[in-house]
Amino acid sequence: MLMLSGSVAPAADIEHFHPKGKPPSKHTIEIIEKARATMAFSDTRDFEEQKKGFIAAPESMKIMADAGHVAWDIERYQFLAMGKDFDSIHPSLQRQAILNLNFGLYEVLKDKIYQVRGFDLANITFVRGTTGWIVFDPTTAAETARAALELVDKHLGKRPVVAVVYSHSHADHFGGVRGIVDETDVRAGKVQIIAPRDFMDHAVSENVYAGNAMNRRMFYQYGVLLPASPFGHVDQALAKNVAAGNLGLIAPTRIVEKPIEELTIDGVKMIFQNTPNTEAPSEMNTYIPEWRALWMAENVTAGIHNIYKLRGALIRDALAWSKYINRALYLYGREAEVMFASHHWPRWGNDRIQEVLRGQRDAYAHLNNQVLHLANQGVTINQIHNEYEVPESLQKQWFARGYHGSPENNSRGVINRFLGYFDGNPVNIIPLSPKDSAPLYVEMMGGAETILAKGKELHDQGKYRLAQEILNKLVQAEPDNRPAKDLLADVFEQLGYQQENTGLRNVFLAGAFELRSGIPTGAIPKTTGPDMVRAMSTELFLDFIGIRMDSKKAEGLEFSINLVTPDNDEKFAIELSNATFTNLEGFQVANPDLTITINRADLLQVMMGVKTLAAQIDDGTAKIEGNRDVLGQLAATLVDFELGFEILPGTKSQAQAMAEEKGPFKQDLRQIDP
Ligand SMILES: [Zn+2]
């Protein structure tokens, strides 16, 4: 089913997308060839499972966005389907990248369960109810979810969507809901939406406080602007990439509150297992006992997931994750005959299901236990990634390979969760900033020319991790040193080619790209949208104002505001003191400088950037009492975050256009300005 497109050049002719790009060195090829010779390539069960049940693919490998651009394009990854082994891609990663070319409609369980795969980062799953479809996880974008439903309609006959299950609080699992469901049908009770405990809080909050920093770091972990190429972006571990379309959210109508709950949905009995603080803070598995079908959400996929996400996120709990997999194994996994998930492909047969569940259970528990075992003997966060090793038996299992979360970044994550960033060495507790310490290193090492010569020597010897140490010092000290940046880029590039893990590969290759060409510009996948702002609590909105405040500008200011939103019966005590903006729900200040009374429905207009607070005051929608000037004072302290900040020194100059771009919440929140 891997269709080759006539428009793609033969693999041998694929050139590096960057004029300064280099092919893999002989040292890199040595590492790649060793992996090719020693890894368990004879185990091809994933390929059988990935192909099984294929029904049809759509005619086009592209899905257009309503806005006119391409929302999804799997065609650009077809170089992977040419039967060539690329020396610029770790063979294990290339294997996963080929598996992730699955594209189209698949049968999971005859007449009962179907999946559309390869339309977005996540799968969309269709479970046959008595009268219609129960959809699990409607992808990231309305456009890709709609296209998936059209494919289902075409091959399985038209049936209504009668229920949607959100498996967890990540946007690639709910963002496309509006492509398959009309909200008026949800309100009318025709469509049920089911979600795990605390779903809405986490769906909305995870990307707000540090949202701009996370979006910038997506350039690195996800390589969102790296060209698809054997020398660039090849895969995202869970699938090819994230679709760039309309992200929406319709609130659930039924929350699964208890640890285990049984519901019959459109005639299908389902048992929901809440698994909080695993892959997501709010997540649940589902078992359909009559069909012996086990849905493992994103808790068990074909690879090891992130404990620490390089984009940035709270550190996850590997031990809790392992325990919930174990519970699922003992509750359902010992009798299940098919196991399917929101990424990758299903597993059939109880032996295989138990093998995968046990292996994944052990992988997360081993990570937690062995890392802490080493930490308790003094191995620090700055050493653990060089010490921690996955057990050999798991190394041979493809589902236990670190495609999304590497053993390196996950082991550091575990230490970070329990002990934090400090390794105990006093030198690392309040170190100088890199740019302040680097000049002394450069001077002591004999200056730029000596470092460049030694850096080149290390590079030519394939000692890339040593080379990056000294070249980084030089680039930190001399951000405009072009030869230094180019050589460091060459070093990063080879390190990128050598990685099995998509995040590590993308981080090195994105770093190389930015050192060579500056910060790239272009459309990145959305992490928010009007629905997300609508679902944001007033408290979260006020918290984010506190984050947007430039406290230097608030120095010496002091005021208090009471905010009242009668339609949802909320009130807030807001204070600015000590250059700090705080809010407390449910309380009021005794003698406030200003009281604002505005319905939450109207405040939403301000949050969405549709109408300013000033305009609402002027036309009487918002009532104020007291000193209106404090709103002007507040507005003057607020900053709009920009996405184009530097990660590597000397990369900003070519990115001025980007600096003009809006940060993720700029449009939505700036109109607090009266
Ligand atoms: Zn996902």
Side-chain angles (χ1 to χ4, degrees), residues 121-122 137 168 170-173 238 279 298 305 342-343:
L121 189 71
D137 288 6
H168 64 287
H170 293 152
D172 54 318
H173 302 265
L238 297 170
E279 190 266 332
E298 195 166 327
H305 216 292
S342 59
H343 295 278

Side-chain angles (χ1 to χ4, degrees), residues 218-389:
M218 273 182 19
F219 286 50
Y220 279 68
Q221 186 189 353
Y222 295 144
V224 288
L225 294 177
L226 276 179
S229 154
F231 305 103
H233 194 271
V234 299
D235 200 61
Q236 212 56 75
L238 297 170
K240 275 280 154 282
N241 220 320
V242 185
N246 279 316
L247 192 151
L249 173 60
I250 301 177
T253 57
R254 174 67 156 86
I255 297 285
V256 174
E257 290 286 353
K258 292 187 213 138
I260 306 277
E261 274 193 50
E262 203 177 290
L263 288 177
T264 298
I265 301 163
D266 197 29
V268 183
K269 188 168 116 180
M270 297 187 179
I271 304 171
F272 296 99
Q273 179 201 11
N274 264 306
T275 64
N277 301 315
T278 49
E279 190 266 332
S282 168
E283 184 148 357
M284 63 182 184
N285 301 327
T286 305
Y287 185 55
I288 306 176
E290 268 172 77
W291 305 345
R292 298 189 176 221
L294 177 58
W295 161 262
M296 285 302 290
E298 195 166 327
N299 283 318
V300 172
T301 56
I304 294 303
H305 216 292
N306 288 294
I307 294 303
Y308 169 55
K309 208 167 174 164
L310 297 171
R311 178 205 69 168
L314 295 179
I315 309 290
R316 293 168 184 164
D317 185 342
L319 189 58
W321 196 330
S322 169
K323 284 174 184 284
Y324 277 115
I325 294 172
N326 208 7
R327 275 191 93 74
L329 166 65
Y330 275 79
L331 285 169
Y332 321 115
R334 294 184 298 178
E335 63 168 55
E337 285 300 329
V338 61
M339 175 167 79
F340 58 119
S342 59
H343 295 278
H344 304 127
W345 45 92
R347 317 290 187 176
W348 287 272
N350 188 254
D351 288 350
R352 177 64 162 157
I353 291 168
Q354 292 210 38
E355 177 188 24
V356 175
L357 285 173
R358 278 212 170 75
Q360 286 245 329
R361 172 198 69 185
D362 294 346
Y364 291 107
H366 184 272
L367 174 71
N368 184 82
N369 298 347
Q370 188 61 17
V371 166
L372 293 179
H373 177 90
L374 293 168
N376 279 319
Q377 294 175 29
V379 180
T380 73
I381 193 167
N382 295 326
Q383 301 161 322
I384 190 68
H385 50 287
N386 298 316
E387 302 284 328
Y388 174 69
E389 275 179 48

Side-chain angles (χ1 to χ4, degrees), residues 414-431:
V414 171
I415 293 203
N416 198 9
R417 180 176 175 88
F418 286 89
L419 299 171
Y421 62 84
F422 178 45
D423 64 356
N425 182 340
V427 77
N428 292 324
I429 190 59
I430 49 165

Side-chain angles (χ1 to χ4, degrees), residues 563-578:
L563 173 67
V564 183
T565 54
D567 60 339
N568 69 347
D569 203 22
E570 280 188 348
K571 53 188 179 181
F572 294 86
I574 298 169
E575 291 189 39
L576 177 65
S577 58
N578 300 306

